[in-house]
Amino acid sequence: MTTTAVPSATSVLRTAFQKSVANYWNLEKDPVNIKLGEVDGLYHHHYGLGPVDPSVFEGPDETRDERMIKEMHRLETAQADVLLDHLGDIAPTDALLDAGSGRGGTSIMANLRFGCEVDGVSISEQQVAFANGQAHERGIADRVRFHFRNMLDTGFETASRRAIWTNETTMYVDLFEAFGEFSRLLAPGGRYVCITGCSNDVMGLRSKAVSRIDEHYICNIHPRSQYFKALAANNLVPISVVDLTADTIPYWELRAQSSVATGIEDPFLTAYKEGSFHYLMIVADRV
Ligand SMILES: C[S@@+](CC[C@H](N)C(=O)[O-])C[C@H]1O[C@@H](n2cnc3c(N)ncnc32)[C@H](O)[C@@H]1O
């Protein structure tokens, strides 16, 4: 099912853009990711969903920040749960792909929920080593493996995947190339779930706030329309599209008040509230 050769950096990182993205994630040690991950050992590099528990703002001042960190982590884990809820019926015998797997949180949650095999790919060697360490610590390294590979050319077998997801990673890739590879990897009837930020075509060209997000993360946020064109071009048929924007705003408002705010909170809140940016989940089937 899984090929084992370790690819070289030059074969994985094919463009100057990919090298700069890999460099960003190799060096990244943002407390907003590390401190939240330390809460329970699930490390996420994505945003949160759902209402904030108001008890965070009660209790002693000295422990307020600690309560905020735990709450942000809870909301980020809730986001991954929403993604996993849409993968369909997954059996322990199924193999899944986490395309752009970060420090591995969502892959580990998928294995804990379904008992299935998961391969995660990332172009950051540091993240891959970290995530494999997490799988070892949990004793699931035989079922959850992370690879230094490019999601545009994973090397995995054709039709080997029951489901694939991208959790905030598609802004780093050409959608036609990525969905072409996912379409190849999915078994007929297999499921693709994407959670992403995308710009709003209805507002015309990208807003200043969206450009600031691109600059901050060295990414290229795509317009909403591009997702559906690229899915249609690759035999991926949407079954559900959910606008998660209103559900993610409380997370950003909480994060803006926390000690781990990075400065990108205002552009996100501006972009969401002015309507130039959406937080979207797209669920599609391979036909
Ligand atoms: C915002 S993080 C999301 C990580 C993870 N999905 C999560 O939810 O925690 C973006 C991830 O995309 C990965 N990435 C970017 N471009 C990639 C590519 N071409 N192939 C594989 N991974 C890529 C980065 O290395 C990083 O792990």
Side-chain angles (χ1 to χ4, degrees):
M1 183 78 63
T2 305
T3 50
T4 49
V6 179
S8 66
T10 43
S11 71
V12 176
L13 307 174
R14 295 185 182 164
T15 64
F17 173 72
Q18 288 168 4
K19 282 178 195 154
S20 58
V21 172
N23 190 45
Y24 174 92
W25 289 108
N26 279 332
L27 296 176
E28 188 275 339
K29 289 192 175 59
D30 249 328
V32 75
N33 296 314
I34 306 294
K35 277 195 175 181
L36 271 64
E38 283 167 358
V39 169
D40 64 1
L42 280 175
Y43 289 80
H44 302 303
H45 288 275
H46 57 245
Y47 311 126
L49 277 185
V52 171
D53 179 345
S55 70
V56 165
F57 302 106
E58 295 156 12
D61 283 353
E62 313 84 77
T63 54
R64 189 171 188 231
D65 200 59
E66 200 183 306
R67 291 194 299 279
M68 286 168 115
I69 284 175
K70 279 192 182 145
E71 181 63 358
M72 283 188 280
H73 182 65
R74 185 183 71 79
L75 299 177
E76 291 187 3
T77 297
Q79 187 264 26
D81 269 323
V82 167
L83 188 156
L84 298 177
D85 287 346
H86 289 83
L87 288 179
D89 290 332
I90 304 295
T93 46
D94 285 328
L96 313 185
L97 174 70
D98 181 354
S101 43
R103 285 189 167 91
T106 312
S107 290
I108 289 170
M109 287 173 64
N111 168 269
L112 296 178
R113 189 193 283 212
F114 304 116
C116 59
E117 282 189 52
V118 186
D119 288 289
V121 296
S122 168
I123 54 173
S124 160
E125 288 176 273
Q126 299 299 321
Q127 286 187 332
V128 167
F130 184 95
N132 277 326
Q134 294 298 307
H136 274 285
E137 271 183 32
R138 289 172 178 268
I140 54 173
D142 56 330
R143 307 286 289 160
V144 183
R145 298 165 294 255
F146 297 95
H147 313 263
F148 173 51
R149 295 190 193 187
N150 197 316
M151 72 170 94
L152 301 177
D153 180 15
T154 60
F156 296 119
E157 236 175 79
T158 297
S160 61
R161 305 289 141 173
R162 178 68 213 152
I164 296 177
W165 70 85
T166 48
N167 199 351
E168 296 183 13
T169 70
T170 43
M171 57 292 287
Y172 294 102
V173 291
D174 177 284
L175 295 179
F176 287 82
E177 277 187 69
F179 295 171
E181 175 67 349
F182 301 163
S183 188
R184 180 186 75 75
L185 292 169
L186 281 170
R191 178 61 58 89
Y192 169 54
V193 180
C194 169
I195 294 188
T196 190
C198 59
S199 63
N200 184 3
D201 304 81
V202 177
M203 306 266 291
L205 294 178
R206 70 189 48 212
S207 66
K208 187 175 170 197
V210 170
S211 297
R212 281 189 59 197
I213 299 169
D214 266 350
E215 202 180 314
H216 182 89
Y217 287 108
I218 321 177
C219 63
N220 279 296
I221 291 166
H222 303 292
R224 175 161 40 121
S225 57
Q226 195 76 355
Y227 280 88
F228 299 95
K229 288 178 193 163
L231 289 169
N234 287 290
N235 296 322
L236 293 165
V237 179
I239 176 128
S240 172
V241 179
V242 186
D243 183 357
L244 301 170
T245 309
D247 282 349
T248 193
I249 287 178
Y251 164 88
W252 283 99
E253 287 173 336
L254 178 66
R255 180 168 149 165
Q257 302 170 59
S258 75
S259 66
V260 294
T262 61
I264 200 61
E265 291 77 15
D266 277 350
F268 267 91
L269 284 166
T270 301
Y272 284 140
K273 288 180 180 176
E274 74 189 6
S276 64
F277 190 53
H278 312 292
Y279 197 44
L280 217 64
M281 177 170 64
I282 304 169
V283 182
D285 289 327
R286 168 75 164 94
V287 297

